[in-house]
Amino acid sequence: MADPVDVLAQLLSPQQAATLDAVGRRAWEAASRALQVIQGQAPAVALGEARLVMPDEIQGEFGDPHLAVPVELSTDNDQAATAYLVLPTAPAAAYLQTEADNPEDQEQQTLVVASTFLGQVIQALNQDVFARSSNGLILSFDDVTANTMPATLGGLDDACLYLTASLSAAQALPIALVLPGTFLDIVAGSMATAFAEPAAAETPLITQEDLEAAELLDVELQRIEEPMAFPQQPDPQPAAPRRAAPPPKEQPPVTAQRARFTPLPDPGPAEHTAGIELLAGLEMNVTVELGRTRLTVAEVLSLGPGSVIELDRIAGEPVDILVNDRLVARGEVVVVDENFGVRVVEVVRRGHEIEEPEPVA
């Protein structure tokens, strides 16, 4: 395969290509450490191909089911760009251990677990790599979607670096990265001095004239330091005899011995949980939304006891069920032991058009 640095040099300057190569190596080290914490082992990576493409040239390479992850970049000076990580759905489910008999359930579970993994990786990249940027560069990712790359590529017109690779741990996972030129240019400019080695201090050169001047100065100093002789004068009184200085006190001998610590107990083999079980104990906020409307400031100020606010939802229409502010299902309001509840009548799956709910008998 072509060296990614050589390919980058066709799009950017050689210095920018070298900067991106250093950033890429450190980014993989940070991502590998994050995945090791989650999975219990660091994955190996094998690079595939690296080439410059226009977005419409690779639209046909994403015809199979896949997950698309928009990775957004922003800086303190309002620069922004987006790159894309693409995972084939079936290998991603095997790698993340979210395989299920129902393809739709498998896709939904893979979306959730992939989002969790990617959140940890992005956090590690920001802390360990991009915190060194000169302009506050930070990465984030939007919703993971299913089967959206052909349409996304159709809306891009920037030359891109197209990279493929394969991660391998218990399972192998092919991945693809689509990195637009604008994205690469911002990263290269933001990280230009992040990993630069400090310049070594230059040793000053001493000339023969400096040495001769130093010898002359040393001679003059020696002459000045010689004590000046004065004629001896008789002492008017005999000097008192000097007392002998007391002998120095003997210091007790210092003894040193090796520090001893209680041995730590054997921790035993670590147990690692993978797949959807990683999220089993995670608490999530569930909100049921009856409807929405828009009011002016005057209308809000005029609200009082007895006011009625008309919502945008027809009576009897299913209500929205949101998990962490994301729509996941729709349901009908019921009463359970004098408490309100919601019976799910439709599950909203990302990447698919929402079908009309069937009437509930």
Side-chain angles (χ1 to χ4, degrees):
M1 62 161 285
D3 189 338
V5 179
D6 295 336
V7 177
L8 283 169
Q10 302 174 26
L11 182 65
L12 305 172
S13 69
Q15 183 178 0
Q16 288 176 311
T19 297
L20 290 171
D21 180 57
V23 172
R25 295 178 186 277
R26 286 168 172 79
W28 166 245
E29 293 173 359
S32 179
R33 288 193 296 269
L35 291 173
Q36 182 176 11
V37 172
I38 301 173
Q39 297 178 286
Q41 65 179 119
V45 63
L47 293 179
E49 64 173 330
R51 55 191 171 103
L52 290 180
V53 299
M54 293 304 295
D56 57 356
E57 297 175 5
I58 56 174
Q59 279 182 294
E61 300 189 20
F62 299 105
D64 294 334
H66 60 272
L67 307 179
V69 186
V71 181
E72 300 175 351
L73 171 155
S74 60
T75 65
D76 290 342
N77 50 7
D78 297 329
Q79 293 177 302
T82 303
Y84 300 91
L85 169 67
V86 186
L87 313 173
T89 303
Y95 185 86
L96 300 174
Q97 300 185 12
T98 57
E99 296 173 296
D101 296 333
N102 187 328
E104 292 186 350
D105 290 342
Q106 174 175 289
E107 181 181 273
Q108 188 74 3
Q109 292 180 10
T110 307
L111 282 169
V112 173
V113 177
S115 298
T116 302
F117 275 50
L118 291 169
Q120 297 297 318
V121 171
I122 293 293
Q123 182 179 359
L125 293 178
N126 286 329
Q127 291 179 348
D128 300 343
V129 181
F130 296 112
R132 302 187 183 190
S133 67
S134 59
N135 56 359
L137 186 154
I138 190 169
L139 295 182
S140 61
F141 74 96
D142 204 347
D143 289 345
V144 181
T145 56
N147 311 318
T148 57
M149 275 308 294
T152 299
L153 292 170
L156 298 179
D157 57 3
D158 196 1
C160 301
L161 173 65
Y162 180 56
L163 286 175
T164 62
S166 178
L167 302 183
S168 58
Q171 298 285 341
L173 175 61
I175 64 174
L177 279 170
V178 180
L179 303 164
T182 304
F183 185 96
L184 296 171
D185 184 60
I186 295 175
V187 173
S190 303
M191 305 295 291
T193 59
F195 305 110
E197 297 293 337
E202 296 184 358
T203 304
L205 299 178
I206 302 177
T207 64
Q208 184 64 28
E209 295 180 357
D210 296 332
L211 292 174
E212 294 175 355
E215 292 176 357
L216 292 175
L217 179 62
D218 183 53
V219 171
E220 295 296 333
L221 289 175
Q222 288 181 0
R223 292 176 179 175
I224 294 174
E225 290 175 355
E226 292 177 356
M228 300 182 65
F230 295 94
Q232 297 290 334
Q233 299 291 337
D235 293 336
Q237 294 182 356
R242 296 182 178 178
R243 296 182 180 180
K249 295 183 179 179
E250 294 185 0
Q251 298 293 334
V254 178
T255 59
Q257 59 183 357
R258 186 183 300 274
R260 297 180 179 180
F261 301 95
T262 304
L264 295 174
D266 184 6
E271 297 182 358
H272 301 286
T273 305
I276 194 67
E277 296 179 1
L278 287 169
L279 308 179
L282 181 65
E283 295 185 357
M284 310 181 81
N285 295 323
V286 179
T287 305
V288 177
E289 188 175 278
L290 181 62
R292 297 187 181 187
T293 190
R294 298 175 67 90
L295 298 177
T296 65
V297 174
E299 289 172 334
V300 172
L301 294 176
S302 65
L303 293 176
S307 299
V308 176
I309 301 175
E310 183 178 354
L311 303 178
D312 60 353
R313 186 151 301 181
I314 301 173
E317 188 177 352
V319 297
D320 292 338
I321 302 173
L322 300 94
V323 176
N324 285 353
D325 297 326
R326 294 181 180 178
L327 179 65
V328 298
R330 290 196 172 95
E332 61 178 1
V333 179
V334 297
V335 177
V336 183
D337 296 334
E338 299 182 356
N339 292 328
F340 283 116
V342 177
R343 178 187 291 118
V344 176
V345 297
E346 175 193 6
V347 175
V348 178
R349 304 188 185 279
R350 300 184 185 276
H352 298 275
E353 294 184 0
I354 301 173
E355 300 177 358
E356 292 296 329
E358 298 180 0
V360 180

